[in-house]
Amino acid sequence: MEAMMSGFGDMGKTMMCAQEDSFDETRGGTHSLADQVARFAKAKKDNNARYLDITTVYDGSSLKGKRVLVTGGEQNLGLELMKEIASVIPGIDVTKDEAMATLVAGVAEPVDMVINNAGYFYGPAESVGAGENEGHLNFAQELLMIDICSVGPLRVSSALFKAGKIKEKVIIITSQAGSRRWRLTQNPPGSLDTSNPFTGNYGHHMSRASCNIMGVILSQELKPANVSVQLAHPASAARR
């Protein structure tokens, strides 16, 4: 593979449990347990190699000879992808419109695939603060997460597409955190108990919900041009 790196409620639980055996994604089904913690525990209990170690089933031979551009290669998933990287386009900030000209200029020939991996997660837990809980919200950081995780992939993909630099596919690394159902299944309701403060992580969930609908719209627009758009949830991964 020839590649380039640009730097930078209870009812719901009951329903999903009833479906888990026949629709579990870790067995090749079409649905998954929305509760990520429960899904991981089930995979460990079943010794599910497909879920726990993707290298046991992954075959990258289809990428042989492909040109792939990846954003966000400093750590985690992007850093692993860098093992396949042949060259680097430095100084690309996915939040800067002006950086897109540099990115496009750095792509000498069209790429087969763009992997939008750049992401950011603001560390401190966010909440409005109910009862005696003080709460903490950082609106600037929320907007930054939306810019990086949602507008960023659109900014990169649109610049490359309009320049005729994408041939086949756009992949967007996102998260099931943008799903309303996932949030209601994974996280309990708020509590006024100060010993168990509520964690909202507003910016993270908002940025991923925005990213997911953006990906849907982008797929609709690019389909007539024979460019597919795929949203991918990478499981647990720290994003900074």
Side-chain angles (χ1 to χ4, degrees), residues 67-80:
R67 289 172 53 80
V68 182
L69 185 142
V70 187
T71 65
E74 291 78 14
Q75 60 182 348
N76 300 324
L77 179 59
L79 188 59
E80 289 299 310

Side-chain angles (χ1 to χ4, degrees), residues 41-105:
K42 182 178 185 298
K44 289 176 62 178
K45 178 182 178 182
D46 294 346
N47 193 25
N48 188 334
R50 180 183 183 275
Y51 185 93
L52 300 173
D53 184 5
I54 193 64
T55 61
T56 61
V57 294
Y58 175 69
D59 179 7
S61 61
S62 62
L63 294 176
K64 186 176 181 179
K66 298 287 188 179
R67 289 172 53 80
V68 182
L69 185 142
V70 187
T71 65
E74 291 78 14
Q75 60 182 348
N76 300 324
L77 179 59
L79 188 59
E80 289 299 310
L81 290 171
M82 283 191 68
K83 295 177 181 178
E84 306 290 337
I85 298 306
S87 61
V88 175
I89 305 173
I92 304 300
D93 185 341
V94 301
T95 69
K96 305 297 183 184
D97 293 347
E98 57 272 21
M100 297 302 102
T102 303
L103 174 62
V104 169

